[in-house]
Every structure is written in structure tokens, then in C-alpha cells.
Amino acid sequence: MQFLVLGSLEVVGSDGPLELPGAKERAVLAYLLAHLGRSVSPDEIIDAVWGERPPASAARSLHARVSRLRRLLEPERTAASDSVIVREGSGYRLAVAEDDVDAEQFARLVTEARSLEPRESLANAEKALRLLRGEPYADFLYLDFAQSEVRRLKELELQACELRAAALLHLGRHDEALPDLERLVEQNPLREPVVRLLMLALYRSGRHADALAVYRGLYERLRELGLEPEE
């Protein structure tokens, strides 16, 4: 079973996507996915999903919604040890492997790419980027708990793009790197590693004046903030 959060929440079983129940069940599952490997208390989940002023029935409602999720995710469960949502003390934990969650696959691929040779790093970065289907946790951007995960995953996406571009430049494929680097610098004009990669790609493409203009643009933007470019 695969749990997908790099876009809208989806759960894919052996027979294809599962039809997830209502909004609260989906939010509870998303919270457990965002805290994979951790036991989270009912109070944590209620605060995250129901908000600061939950109804008096929230604890009972959470128990019912977890039961519905279990029936959906564990149709052939024969023992408590087979449970996907495990009760640990007073808390709940989603007991699935990291590689069953696309966000965790994504993080692993990007981490591994940092220490690989250019060709393998490129393959890892591109494999990671292919996992993206849209905005992470797209269904839950209105909930505070999703925001830290979105920030983490967006930063990893930027790192994957940087690693891809750096690998392409190492392999002499600067023309392939240029379009993405220009887009990345437009979106992240103060991110020095991306700007430096763009300068290198332009220089190697024979566009020396454009490379200098990119550096001057970075210098001016940093100076306005009272900063200096890194050496």
C-alpha cells in the first residue's frame, strides 16, 4: 500500500486507489503521515484537526474516525499486530514503512543524491522530482500542522533541483540546466547556490555578459539587505 502526500492525499492499494472517507478522516490520516514513526496523543490530533475549540465530542469522534480508517486500510487484518494504525499507550502511530510514503521516498532520494557521483546524483534527483504531483499536502494547507511539512518538502524540492542542475553542469550538459536555473533564480532571487549555478551555466554557454549581469543583480539585492555575497 502506498501513501501519497506530494499533491492531494491518495492511498493506493493492490487494486488501485482507495476511496478515502470524509474530510476529518483524511485530515487524521494526513496528520499521522506527517508524524510518521511517532506516537501522537489524541489531544495532539484533536488540536491539529478540530482546532483550538474542539467540540466536547471530539475524543469520541476521533476514535470513530480512526476505526473507519482501520476498516479501510486493514481489510484483511487478523490480529492487533497487523494494524496499520497502532495504539501505543494513549497515542496512535501509523505503522507503515518509510518507502510506502512518497514524501519519505522523496527525502531519502534527495539525501542520497548529495553524496553520489554526478550521473547517479542526476538519476536520484530526477527520480525524486518525478514523485511530485503538485503542492505537498494540497488538501490540508488550511491546517497549521501541514505548514511545517510543506516547508520541509519545498526546501527538499529546491535542493533536488539544485542537485540536478549541478550534476548536469558536471556532465557538460549546461544547455539542459539553463531553463530550470533561470526559473529557479526568478523564484528564489536571494538563493546564492542557485544563482551561482546559473552564472556557471551562462558562462559555459558563452553568455559571459549575462553571467556577470546575474552576479551584479545578486550583489545589488543583497546590498539592499545589508548583506554581502558569500565567497
Side-chain angles (χ1 to χ4, degrees):
M1 189 173 291
Q2 293 288 305
F3 296 83
L4 312 179
V5 295
L6 297 177
S8 297
L9 175 63
E10 291 185 24
V11 179
V12 182
S14 56
D15 296 324
L18 302 182
E19 185 174 346
L20 294 171
K24 283 287 191 289
E25 285 86 352
R26 292 171 61 84
V28 168
L29 179 57
Y31 188 83
L32 292 172
L33 284 164
H35 296 81
L36 192 66
R38 244 195 79 187
S39 177
V40 290
S41 71
D43 286 345
E44 283 182 72
I45 301 173
I46 289 167
D47 286 346
V49 174
W50 275 264
E52 294 180 355
R53 296 182 179 178
S57 61
R60 188 168 62 254
S61 180
L62 171 62
H63 180 75
R65 292 168 198 280
V66 168
S67 295
R68 286 179 201 163
L69 285 169
R70 281 176 169 155
R71 287 195 294 273
L72 175 72
L73 301 174
E74 306 160 5
E76 299 176 2
R77 179 168 62 96
T78 57
S81 60
D82 299 328
S83 183
V84 172
I85 301 177
V86 177
R87 195 70 191 258
E88 289 186 341
S90 62
Y92 295 102
R93 177 174 62 85
L94 193 65
V96 300
E98 288 188 351
D99 263 3
D100 291 337
V101 182
D102 62 350
E104 301 307 316
Q105 293 178 43
F106 183 72
R108 175 180 57 76
L109 287 165
V110 175
T111 299
E112 289 175 352
R114 297 189 193 114
S115 58
L116 294 172
E117 294 300 316
R119 199 171 300 280
E120 289 76 23
S121 179
L122 175 61
N124 258 47
E126 290 186 334
K127 186 176 180 181
L129 291 168
R130 284 196 295 272
L131 293 173
L132 299 172
R133 298 175 294 111
E135 190 79 5
Y137 289 89
D139 309 328
F140 309 103
L141 299 179
Y142 62 97
L143 294 174
D144 288 345
F145 81 82
Q147 295 305 312
S148 60
E149 271 298 278
V150 170
R151 286 192 294 272
R152 177 179 79 95
L153 293 165
K154 296 298 282 184
E155 171 60 26
L156 284 170
E157 179 184 355
L158 263 174
Q159 291 178 24
C161 291
E162 290 173 10
L163 288 162
R164 178 182 182 274
L168 287 171
L169 290 174
H170 274 292
L171 296 169
R173 295 160 59 181
H174 40 269
D175 289 341
E176 291 179 54
L178 262 174
D180 281 347
L181 285 171
E182 289 173 334
R183 174 182 57 81
L184 287 170
V185 169
E186 184 177 350
Q187 295 170 351
N188 306 275
L190 294 175
R191 193 175 178 94
E192 290 191 52
V194 178
V195 175
R196 291 178 183 280
L197 286 171
L198 176 58
M199 289 164 51
L200 181 57
L202 289 167
Y203 183 84
R204 289 185 178 175
S205 298
R207 296 168 56 183
H208 300 176
D210 289 339
L212 183 58
V214 167
Y215 174 77
R216 285 175 175 160
L218 173 65
Y219 182 84
E220 289 300 322
R221 290 190 294 271
L222 291 174
R223 193 175 68 170
E224 289 171 5
L225 297 172
L227 303 172
E228 292 286 340
E230 294 178 2
E231 293 297 330

